Amino acid sequence: MAQRNTWQRERVREALSDARGFVSAQSLHATLRDENTGIGLATVYRALAGLAAQGEADSLQSPEGEALYRACSSTGHHHHLICRSCGLTVEIEATDVEQWAKRTAERHGFRDAEHVVDIFGLCATCAAARDAQRDAN
Amino acid sequence: MAQRNTWQRERVREALSDARGFVSAQSLHATLRDENTGIGLATVYRALAGLAAQGEADSLQSPEGEALYRACSSTGHHHHLICRSCGLTVEIEATDVEQWAKRTAERHGFRDAEHVVDIFGLCATCAAARDAQRDAN
DNA sequence: CCGCGATTTGAGAACGATTCTCATTAGCCT
DNA sequence: AGGCTAATGAGAATCGTTCTCAAATCGCGG
């Protein structure tokens, strides 16, 4: 018997889908704990690791060093455009970049190349909000 | 008075230059502590943060969540091709990718975009070594 | 429907990296 | 040399993540 179905794992999967963009394990745990029974932090971590391993979720390291997760719609390889303020995420394709990465690695004799290509910025909404706040000061 | 010159900062800069590739703050501290007077861990972190802020060093998050630093030869913006086995790092230019990142961010209404573009792989040497070992089994 | 064994869970401890605190040290300018 | 102040270092504090282990739970066979 390899894998059991528990309501906890299901809840984590749901919460991950509901989130608009990347979320940290910590905030996911907080959300889940608020809305209902006391799910354990360790369980959230385990569930997320599991989902990531099965390719049902994406994970990346935020510049602040936190691990962020996101439900992954396209199972294939893809990249992200992430709002550093609200976490909104846009999945982007980058065929050109794929090719470039592959060629660059080969040109330098590297094998089994993986690449990390993500863009962090402020989405239109957050940029506007920040401008508004700046004006107030 | 904004910035003072201390031998500690100098040592950190040296140690960073001596390293072949990316190193963690921890291992840098270990190295420095071994070779001489007891430099403080906090000081190493402060020096690294300073160097990174001034553009004299690059920093990135390893997949394991550690922050890695490297002395940066070209002051401009650039990317890396990193051997996941030995840490060897090649600085690469990616003008095309810069443009692509910028355009992509703009197209989605994002501002102040930064991007992370790094390639991890096995350098020729490590790939050969791994083949040799596989043959032995 | 019941029981059994293996898997999961949850609370908290353990851990590793990074940051903070604060008394002490040591640049830099006059 | 003397004073002002930034920088240092030791350890505590913080934060995210993983580990431990007893207790709860799942899912199968009966």
Side-chain angles (χ1 to χ4, degrees), chain B residues 4-16:
Chain B
R4 283 179 193 176
N5 295 332
T6 62
W7 62 265
Q8 287 97 331
R9 223 190 303 266
E10 215 38 60
R11 276 287 211 288
V12 170
R13 197 198 308 265
E14 281 173 29
L16 199 57

Side-chain angles (χ1 to χ4, degrees), chain A residues 4-5 26 41-42 45 66-67:
Chain A
R4 284 180 192 176
N5 295 331
Q26 299 284 342
L41 177 57
Y45 273 98
E66 247 182 326

Side-chain angles (χ1 to χ4, degrees), chain A residues 28-91:
Chain A
L28 250 177
H29 174 237
T31 306
L32 288 170
R33 178 172 288 261
D34 281 353
E35 81 184 29
N36 58 43
T37 58
I39 189 172
L41 177 57
T43 304
V44 175
Y45 273 98
R46 278 185 290 239
L48 287 173
L51 289 172
Q54 299 172 225
E56 297 193 51
D58 261 0
S59 72
L60 63 81
Q61 297 278 336
S62 79
E64 291 77 36
E66 247 182 326
L68 302 181
Y69 294 86
R70 176 165 195 258
C72 198
S73 48
S74 51
T75 31
H77 180 71
H78 55 268
H79 302 289
H80 300 101
L81 176 55
I82 305 153
C83 174
R84 121 179 89 229
S85 171
C86 70
L88 172 73
T89 302
V90 181
E91 265 176 36

